[in-house]
Amino acid sequence: MRSYEGKLVATGMRVAICVARFNAFITERLLEGAVDTLRRHGADEAQIHVYRCSGTFELPPVVKRVAMSGRYDAVIALGAVIRGGTPHFEYVAGECAKGIGQVSMQADCAVAFGVLTTDNVEQAIERAGTKAGNKGAEAALAAIEQVSLFRAIGQEE
Ligand code: INI
């Protein structure tokens, strides 16, 4: 049997992080978690580039352009959609997930989804570096693993 899996080593990886400013008090914590994880797994900070857009709805076209630029091994999308009293939440969260899913299937680089969708602010805080971890850090780990796995797939004889 032969099995393949990615290593959690980010040495030499060029990573773009696309982050929405809407709910910035949450998304900046996700960004910190992602950058910290990349650094602790060996990424060079100069090779981590951050792109900011206004809201989570705007993330997919930014992620698409960044992913298609050919300059990165991985793109990490970070946002926080928090349910309010209107259906706006569903549209923003749904369009973002759909758009980033499409990019991930088209791009040659790894694409990681670190967009929170929560019912309230408390749940978002829990997932941005408190009791439920940091989803930005988790997305960064997934990106590192995926880049490594893609390399392994590319090296198959
Ligand atoms: N954008 C978010 O990133 N999170 C939200 O919770 C949110 N809500 O709920 O309104 C949100 N809306 C803005 C949206 O992403 C766009 O920026 C806006 O619709 C302009 O296109």
Side-chain angles (χ1 to χ4, degrees), residues 20 22-23 54-58 79-84 88-89 92:
F22 202 102
N23 291 324
S54 55
T56 296
F57 184 81
E58 282 72 34
V81 194
I82 302 174
R83 194 182 289 278
H88 201 61
F89 169 96
V92 172

Side-chain angles (χ1 to χ4, degrees), residues 96-117:
C96 177
K98 194 171 72 190
I100 291 176
Q102 284 171 359
V103 176
S104 83
M105 293 301 291
Q106 290 161 8
D108 280 334
C109 66
V111 177
F113 187 72
V115 177
L116 293 180
T117 51

Side-chain angles (χ1 to χ4, degrees), residues 15-26:
V15 181
I17 305 176
C18 302
V19 54
R21 283 195 312 274
F22 202 102
N23 291 324
F25 65 105
I26 297 293

